[in-house]
Amino acid sequence: ASLEPGPPDPPVRPLGRPLQPPRPAELLLLLSCPAFRAHFARLFGGEAAEQWRFASAALDDEVSEDDEEDQLRALGWFALLRVQPDQEAAEERGPALAGASLGAVPKGAPLLACGSPFGAFCPDIFLNTLSRGVLSNAAGPLLLTDARCLPGTEGGGVFAARPAGALVAFVAAPLCWKAREWVGLTLLCAAAPVLRVARAALGNLYPSAAARLPSEVGVPRDVPLRDPGPLWAAAAVLVECSTVWGSGVAVAPRLVVTCRHVAPRETTRVVVRYFTPKSVAVWGRVVFATQETSPYDIAVVSLEEDLDGVPMPVPAERFHEGEAVSVVGFGVFGQACGPSVTAGILSAVVRVDDTPVMLQTTCAVHGGSSGGPLFSTRSGDLLGIIASNTRDNNTGATYPHLNFSIPITVLQPALQQYSRTGDLGSLRELDRAAEPVRVVWRLQRPLTEAPQSKL
Amino acid sequence: MGRQWGPAMRAAEQTGCVVSASRAGHPEAGSWSCSGVILSCNPGLVLCHGGIFTPFLRAGSEALTAAAAAILPGDSCGDDLRLHVQWGPTVASPAACAELGRPGLCTPQC
């Protein structure tokens, strides 16, 4: 370093490239996607509205009612700015950006979100931070992803692996809270309809600029309101038992497994809805539900007719910690849409006497997903039944990304026997689970051996 | 990230940006900022979230929920709106961050 105080070295971004000052820009127009706003009103409005918060800040942060009202009104709005052209950047940048047609990216497909947490607060550190997830659900241009985004990433781009590098959506709301529970999902607006509005509006104002907007790629499918997602996801069903509803999974053409707390009483009649992708309702009856004292929160429904066109899942025989897994459930949207898909890894397999009795995953699981299936993303095999996620009783915080499933290996022999003979004997064994299994599901440490007396 | 992510990573890195909005002559009023996507380099076109413009709307945020509105012209916002766009690797110096930034982010040890 020279003795003379020279000009300060330009701060170097981690990538080691010199930094430049921000550029002035001009607001050309504000634009929104009416279909996004209509679906938003249908899914999050009405009596559901009071349950939902789309805060740009943590739930308990001080946000005035006016500000929150403003944020809600602006949720489906975007802005088109004109910036002084940057010739150097134009040469540097690769091929022009392409926009994925609506419906070209199926549910469960991997997505890459790019935004800057906390906006312009400290771009040296936070600019263009990446986050990965899957397309969890879609209602027209209103999309959900489990890619975790933070305040400040609103307006950021979300890209697909296929069509390669296509712009799929813009982040509309990074933090979604339902009934004070962070649901671990990010609300997106599909890019294609927004770009179409921009192209039409610019066409009148600046025709040459309109031509420079990203073109659409990918096969536009008429997006069924209930895109079934990956083939194996179609085995997930919605179970409605009087006023309670939850998720379930088909394990035989006329047999559905769900949670006891969804369908608690035997002989109760329930409605099972499945989406292949049109929505079909079938009546069924609860033929088995574990006792309240059983650690396994399970119920079995026998249907009055076959689940037409629903692929029967292959039950897994082994579990591999760290493997990619997917949860399919009716949380968040419930009956208003098909099931949501969230992805993660199998974070733990808890064993008693070397037998798996509990599975844990990092997928986003929230109210309404109970009873739904946990799949191996690679093989599509059924690994387990989602039973619960985690709440810290001291702080009241809910952790959607720590959840518990009943391994299918615990249930499969009994389900097979019931399917073959109608005999509930093996299922009744679930009420007599050993004490160490009960201890595990009470989230306590399994006693390795009885504490020895010191006398 | 697997090879399949190459084009998406490039697209994200090359089009990602941040947009900040402030009031001319009132830097103390703070600034609003969000993320955006560079749709075209020449002419320079950027799309960002509309939420940062609500404080500048002449007719207030009610204008956003007026039934038919799908588009509002640029002059829906007051003349005191000042916009800046930053994209990688171009960003302000840390000193400028302090002015622009929101107070109080910290990194508590876990």
Side-chain angles (χ1 to χ4, degrees):
Chain A
S2 73
L3 292 178
E4 294 304 314
D9 286 342
V12 172
R13 180 177 161 75
L15 299 182
R17 306 248 330 251
L19 310 178
Q20 297 162 21
R23 290 171 182 262
E26 167 203 356
L27 175 62
L28 292 179
L29 45 89
L30 290 166
L31 63 163
S32 79
C33 171
F36 171 92
R37 291 163 58 199
H39 280 287
F40 181 84
R42 179 175 68 86
L43 294 171
F44 298 103
E47 75 277 359
E50 82 278 352
Q51 283 202 313
W52 283 98
R53 285 277 311 280
F54 297 91
S56 268
L59 197 60
D60 297 332
D61 277 3
E62 285 310 308
V63 178
S64 75
E65 272 198 26
D66 287 352
D67 286 354
E68 194 167 341
E69 186 67 32
D70 285 352
Q71 280 174 19
L72 209 52
R73 287 181 176 138
L75 205 127
W77 281 85
F78 299 90
L80 198 59
L81 317 181
R82 177 166 52 186
V83 189
Q84 297 312 318
D86 175 347
Q87 199 49 45
E88 176 204 336
E91 278 129 32
E92 265 186 9
R93 291 185 201 291
L97 189 60
S101 298
L102 193 57
V105 177
K107 197 188 302 184
L111 294 177
L112 181 77
C114 176
S116 303
F118 315 110
F121 166 63
C122 193
D124 296 65
I125 307 295
F126 296 126
L127 182 78
N128 290 348
T129 305
L130 301 174
S131 174
R132 255 183 60 186
V134 298
L135 180 60
S136 295
N137 215 324
L142 187 151
L143 310 179
L144 273 177
T145 178
D146 60 357
R148 271 161 252 174
C149 296
L150 288 168
T153 58
E154 299 88 343
V158 180
F159 302 83
R162 267 186 299 280
L167 176 64
V168 177
F170 301 106
V171 174
L175 293 178
C176 304
W177 311 82
K178 179 178 184 182
R180 298 186 63 77
E181 266 192 34
W182 178 48
V183 296
L185 295 174
T186 297
L187 196 59
L188 309 174
C189 179
V194 174
L195 293 173
R196 256 181 245 141
V197 171
R199 189 172 291 109
L202 275 188
N204 307 325
L205 298 169
Y206 312 96
S208 60
R212 305 288 301 181
L213 288 175
S215 53
E216 284 189 27
V217 290
V219 178
R221 290 182 298 144
D222 57 325
V223 190
L225 197 50
R226 298 180 172 87
D227 167 1
L231 189 62
W232 34 263
V237 297
L238 180 70
V239 179
E240 295 171 357
C241 180
S242 173
T243 57
V244 173
W245 55 268
S247 306
V249 59
V251 292
R254 291 197 177 200
L255 209 55
V256 158
V257 175
T258 182
C259 275
R260 173 188 64 228
H261 69 267
V262 174
R265 263 183 310 286
E266 293 181 8
T267 73
T268 309
R269 286 194 90 206
V270 299
V271 175
V272 167
R273 291 181 195 280
Y274 60 100
F275 304 91
T276 54
K278 67 183 175 21
S279 168
V280 179
V282 174
W283 279 101
R285 186 178 301 279
V286 180
V287 292
F288 171 74
T290 51
Q291 301 294 318
E292 279 288 336
T293 51
S294 169
Y296 295 125
D297 181 350
I298 282 292
V300 177
V301 175
S302 174
L303 302 178
E304 295 172 4
E305 49 190 287
D306 281 12
L307 293 166
D308 252 355
V310 172
M312 292 301 129
V314 174
E317 293 168 1
R318 270 175 296 284
F319 307 103
H320 310 284
E321 273 109 334
E323 74 167 299
V325 295
S326 297
V327 165
V328 185
F330 288 81
V332 175
F333 287 142
Q335 307 93 322
C337 261
S340 296
V341 179
T342 60
I345 66 166
L346 186 59
S347 48
V349 178
V350 180
R351 294 173 167 83
V352 169
D353 300 337
D354 220 17
T355 302
V357 297
M358 174 194 273
L359 306 177
Q360 295 170 25
T361 87
T362 60
C363 303
V365 165
H366 21 75
S369 304
S370 291
L374 169 66
F375 289 108
S376 161
T377 308
R378 186 186 50 77
S379 64
D381 288 356
L382 177 62
L383 299 177
I385 307 294
I386 291 288
S388 54
N389 62 13
T390 308
R391 180 200 307 275
D392 179 331
N393 289 326
N394 301 325
T395 63
T398 297
Y399 299 100
H401 299 99
L402 172 54
N403 44 76
F404 307 96
S405 300
I406 298 160
I408 192 61
T409 46
V410 168
L411 309 173
Q412 189 57 15
L415 291 169
Q416 279 176 323
Q417 178 175 28
Y418 175 74
S419 285
R420 267 198 318 269
T421 65
D423 170 19
L424 289 174
S426 297
L427 285 169
R428 295 274 178 236
E429 285 305 309
L430 297 175
D431 289 330
R432 288 183 280 279
E435 182 56 20
V437 175
R438 297 167 189 277
V439 167
V440 163
W441 277 92
R442 281 200 300 265
L443 299 188
Q444 290 165 350
R445 181 176 303 286
L447 295 175
T448 45
E449 67 255 352
Q452 300 302 321
S453 158
K454 291 192 173 45
L455 298 180
Chain B
M1 275 203 182
R3 192 197 319 260
Q4 66 166 335
W5 286 107
M9 291 274 287
R10 261 193 312 281
E13 291 280 339
Q14 290 179 356
T15 61
C17 62
V18 284
V19 178
S20 48
S22 56
R23 223 175 267 287
H26 295 282
E28 77 289 349
S31 75
W32 292 260
S33 63
C34 67
S35 300
V37 178
I38 300 168
L39 299 177
S40 157
C41 285
N42 194 356
L45 291 175
V46 169
L47 188 134
C48 73
H49 197 268
I52 63 170
F53 297 90
T54 51
F56 301 90
L57 285 167
R58 298 178 201 275
S61 65
E62 292 77 3
L64 300 176
T65 46
I71 289 175
L72 292 174
D75 62 8
S76 308
C77 288
D79 300 333
D80 60 350
L81 167 64
R82 291 294 174 271
L83 288 171
H84 285 89
V85 180
Q86 302 167 0
W87 55 79
T90 58
V91 279
S93 65
C97 291
E99 292 151 29
L100 284 181
R102 251 180 267 174
L105 260 194
C106 63
T107 56
Q109 287 169 353
C110 297

